[in-house]
Amino acid sequence: MDNRTLRGRVAVIGIGETTYYRHGQSPDAEFKLALKAILAACQDAGMDPRDIDGFASYSNDRNDPSRLAAALGLRQLRSTTMQWGGGGGGNCAAVANGAAAVASGLSDCVVAFRALAQGQFGRFGQAPTAPTISGDMAWQAPYGVLSPGQKFAMKARRFMHDHGVKQEALRAIAMASYAHAQRNPRAVMHGKPLTEAQYDDSRWIVEPFHLFDCCMENDGAAAVIMVPAERAKDFPNRPVYVLGAATGSDERVAAVPHNTPNYASSSFATVAPDLYRMAGVTPKDVGVVQSYENFTGGVLMALAEHGLFHPDEANDFLQLENLLAPGGKLPLNTSGGNLAECYMHGFELVLEAVRQVRGTSTAQAPRNDVALVIGGPMVTPVSNLMLGSEAVL
């Protein structure tokens, strides 16, 4: 049973990304963006792209692995995985699936990636139109509940009601992302700081979410390269090891209409314990967090369900000074996250976690040996990832 773990068996040796654009403004097609990010990761790792032999992605990424292999000149393609379901909840699962392929011997060098060109394929942020509907949406669309913001606002509001969480806690999450983006020249919102007054005065999208509680929409691509841990020191960067990963959801989390037993949840109630068990760490060991912000309410619930504070302590813990690097108790979304760096469907969070462990972030956390990534709160399935330095193994 001890062998059934990813802990210390796989290392991230390269990261790469394109320029990040506002939605619809990329000059490149989605496939070209994916290639650019992968080649940037290869350059970062100091390796030949032809040595890649596997791909992993999520949310039905449209870039066919065989076509990628041909464009990159791969000598052999051995592993291709796509995380099923959950949209942005699969960002960490893509890394986990790629790492599992490496750890099991199915591949020697896997790239996990995500690419988006919304100008080419349509916006994520618009409610879909279709002549017929089925499944979950059949219980919601006839009553005007069309967008993720509408659905997730109800979960967040219920959590806030149950635990007495104030709007200021959501504001602190948003402001931390914007503050960190001001130190990150790659961020789309670099040079556009957010004040308390701007947040408070911004329009409601759907209560309790103001405009600045909602993620951006962007084009671009990001990628990470993984190899067996024993090869990690063959490459120029400080190795970053996979400590653990988990994916899934709580009992009956997709019950309709809005009837899941644990309704006011980010879907991590059962997933978070699995992550800590595999990683061999506790919440007290986590020095920095990158949490997917589809909406700040999901971050609130996800942090609590990962044991970083008790839900009733949210107002005290979620103060801006606690969330900022380098002096905060738990620096959060240190590159700007989905709110202020880029909405690369959450995959940019994985790259920032790698930078934190390497010690190369633009907003470096002083405790960086254990970095937590949280993917897609409130969707199903969700996933998470723990990365660490050699000192933790």
Side-chain angles (χ1 to χ4, degrees), residues 74-384:
L74 269 58
R75 299 180 180 93
Q76 182 182 8
L77 181 60
R78 300 175 62 207
S79 172
T80 60
T81 57
M82 180 68 66
Q83 177 69 5
W84 187 24
N91 62 336
C92 296
V95 178
N97 292 337
V102 171
S104 64
L106 291 174
S107 279
D108 290 326
C109 181
V110 172
V111 172
F113 73 97
R114 187 71 173 103
L116 286 174
Q118 296 183 68
Q120 184 179 5
F121 292 106
R123 286 180 60 185
F124 271 17
Q126 290 182 324
T129 57
T132 60
I133 53 174
S134 60
D136 187 58
M137 289 304 296
W139 299 98
Q140 299 173 77
Y143 305 98
V145 181
L146 301 173
S147 70
Q150 292 172 302
K151 292 186 286 187
F152 295 152
M154 290 188 280
K155 289 177 177 285
R157 179 59 86 194
R158 173 66 177 271
F159 185 91
M160 294 171 73
H161 173 270
D162 289 350
H163 300 286
V165 181
K166 299 177 181 178
Q167 189 72 35
E168 287 80 0
L170 302 190
R171 184 178 68 191
I173 293 170
M175 291 188 67
S177 291
Y178 270 80
H180 288 137
Q182 306 318 303
R183 299 168 62 180
N184 174 13
R186 302 181 309 276
V188 173
M189 290 299 175
H190 180 71
K192 298 179 180 179
L194 176 65
T195 67
E196 288 187 358
Q198 286 174 313
Y199 174 94
D200 292 341
D201 293 342
S202 65
R203 68 182 185 274
W204 290 109
I205 301 303
V206 53
E207 294 185 36
F209 302 146
H210 281 277
L211 173 66
F212 294 107
D213 291 302
C214 306
C215 68
M216 295 188 291
E217 296 180 74
N218 300 107
D219 296 346
V224 302
I225 301 176
M226 294 172 282
V227 298
E230 55 267 26
R231 293 184 56 203
K233 294 184 180 179
D234 295 339
F235 300 91
N237 296 303
R238 182 187 186 193
V240 176
Y241 296 92
V242 175
L243 301 180
T247 185
S249 298
D250 205 355
E251 175 192 12
R252 294 183 66 240
V253 75
V256 293
H258 285 265
N259 274 336
T260 179
N262 186 16
Y263 181 69
S265 169
S266 64
S267 302
F268 281 101
T270 57
V271 179
D274 283 349
L275 173 68
Y276 287 121
R277 191 177 304 114
M278 180 183 286
V281 300
T282 71
K284 292 182 179 179
D285 297 312
V286 175
V288 61
V289 179
Q290 314 302 329
S291 178
Y292 191 112
E293 319 115 312
N294 36 18
F295 307 95
T296 54
V299 180
L300 161 69
M301 291 188 280
L303 294 177
E305 289 188 330
H306 279 82
L308 299 167
F309 55 81
H310 188 276
D312 294 340
E313 301 170 340
N315 292 319
D316 292 330
F317 192 94
L318 294 174
Q319 300 285 330
L320 180 58
E321 61 268 22
N322 289 337
L323 306 180
L324 295 178
K329 292 181 180 178
L330 189 67
L332 174 69
N333 293 349
T334 49
S335 63
N338 288 347
L339 295 183
E341 181 186 27
C342 172
Y343 178 73
M344 198 32 52
H345 222 172
F347 207 74
E348 82 287 349
L349 300 170
V350 178
L351 275 66
E352 176 62 10
V354 173
R355 285 189 289 262
Q356 282 289 344
V357 178
R358 286 181 177 180
T360 60
S361 172
T362 54
Q364 189 63 47
R367 292 178 57 226
N368 64 322
D369 281 340
V370 176
L372 169 63
V373 187
I374 299 172
M378 299 185 288
V379 304
T380 178
V382 292
S383 63
N384 51 21

